[in-house]
Amino acid sequence: MSARSLFVTGTDTGIGKTLASAALLHALRARGLRATGMKPVASGCARTAAGWRNDDALSLQAASDPCPAYTDVNPYPLPEPTAPQLAARAAGVTVALDVLLAAHGRLAARCDVVVVEGAGGWLAPLADGLEHAGLARALDAEVVLVVGLRLGCLNHARLTARAVAADGARLAGWIGSTVDPDFDRRAGYLGLVAEALPVPCWGVLPHRPAPDPREAAAALRLPDERAAPARAAQ
Ligand SMILES: Nc1ncnc2c1ncn2[C@@H]1O[C@H](COP(=O)(O)OP(=O)(O)O)[C@@H](O)[C@H]1O
Ligand SMILES: [Mg+2]
C-alpha cells in the first residue's frame, strides 16, 4: 500500500505554503497518521557542513514523523534564491522527474501521507520541462491551494483553480493564510473565495508575528475521510 500524497500549491510565493504544509503535517500526525513533508525543488539554500540546506525543506523535515532523510525531503537544493529554472542552470543541475519520484517513493514507503510543497505558484515551472502539474499527476496527488489573504487573492485563487483543473490535476481543498493583518474586508474576501472555489476550505491560518506550525494546525479542520489513507481498503 502506498501513501496518499497532498500537493500544496499557492496563490503566489511568500503567502504561507510552507506554514500551511507544516501545519498539515502536524494536523495529520495529531490524527494518528505518519506524515512526511517534501520540497522537491528548492531554490535559496545555505551551505552547511552536511551540504546545501533550504529553510522550507528544513521546516517540513522538522514537522515530519517519522523524520525523513534531508536528501529525500529535498533532492534538489539549489543555492540561488531565484526561479528554480534559473537556479538549476546556475548550479549546472538538471532536475529529473525520476529522481523526484524515487525520493518520494522512499518517503511514502515509511508513512501514510506525504505533503509535497511546490515552488512558487502553480504555473511557475519546477524545472526545464517539468511543471507542477506533471509532478502532481505523476504522484497521483490531491492538490491543496493555499490562498494568501490579501488584495488580488480572489483573482489568483480562481486562476489557480482553473489551471489545476485544466492541467488534469485534482483540487481537494483550500487553506486561507492571513498574511496581511491589515487586510480590510478579510471576512468578505473569505466568503467570496469560498463561493468561487469548487472545493471545501480546510481552515484559515490566523496571523501571528512568528507563526508556529503546530499552533497553526489547530486551525485546520480535516474531515475524517481526508485524514485517512485514501487506499486503506485496498
Ligand atoms: N498566517 C500567517 N501569519 C503571519 N505570517 C505568515 C503567515 N503565513 C505566512 N507568514 C509569513 O510569511 C512568510 C512567507 O510564508 P511561507 O509559509 O514561507 O510562504 P511560501 O511557502 O508560500 O513562500 C514567512 O515569513 C511566514 O512566517
Ligand atoms: Mg515555501
Side-chain angles (χ1 to χ4, degrees):
M1 184 177 74
S2 72
R4 174 185 180 197
S5 294
L6 298 176
F7 198 102
V8 177
T9 191
T11 47
D12 204 345
T13 191
I15 50 78
K17 291 189 304 297
T18 302
L19 176 65
S21 301
L24 271 172
L25 289 166
H26 283 292
L28 291 161
R29 288 170 53 192
R31 288 155 177 76
L33 295 165
R34 297 169 299 164
T36 296
M38 183 178 191
K39 176 86 182 180
V41 180
S43 54
C45 297
R47 191 199 293 273
T48 74
W52 293 100
R53 292 292 183 266
N54 168 266
D55 283 346
D56 286 11
L58 289 171
S59 294
L60 299 182
Q61 185 186 33
S64 298
D65 184 29
C67 184
Y70 183 88
T71 47
D72 286 339
V73 175
N74 179 28
Y76 289 106
L78 305 170
E80 262 194 42
T82 184
Q85 283 169 297
L86 299 179
R89 288 176 205 165
V93 167
T94 301
V95 174
L97 178 60
D98 58 348
V99 170
L100 298 179
L101 298 183
H104 179 276
R106 286 188 291 275
L107 299 176
R110 295 179 61 215
C111 70
D112 301 305
V113 185
V114 183
V115 176
V116 183
E117 184 191 344
W122 182 255
L123 281 181
L126 265 179
D128 289 330
L130 180 60
E131 300 281 346
H132 282 90
L135 181 59
R137 285 195 310 260
L139 298 177
D140 195 23
E142 292 175 288
V143 177
V144 180
L145 171 60
V146 180
V147 178
L149 298 167
R150 62 186 185 197
L151 279 182
C153 69
L154 185 56
N155 176 50
H156 286 131
R158 296 182 72 199
L159 284 172
T160 306
R162 278 199 194 180
V164 169
D167 287 342
R170 283 173 293 141
L171 190 64
W174 65 278
I175 294 171
S177 173
T178 313
V179 274
D180 179 1
D182 302 320
F183 181 35
D184 287 339
R185 302 258 181 197
R186 187 179 71 95
Y189 267 82
L190 272 172
L192 293 177
V193 173
E195 280 171 26
L197 296 183
V199 291
C201 179
W202 290 9
V204 179
L205 308 183
H207 185 84
R208 295 284 183 271
D212 171 20
R214 195 183 297 266
E215 189 221 324
L220 296 179
R221 299 180 304 273
L222 307 183
D224 285 342
E225 66 276 12
R226 300 214 167 280
R231 300 180 188 83
Q234 292 179 15

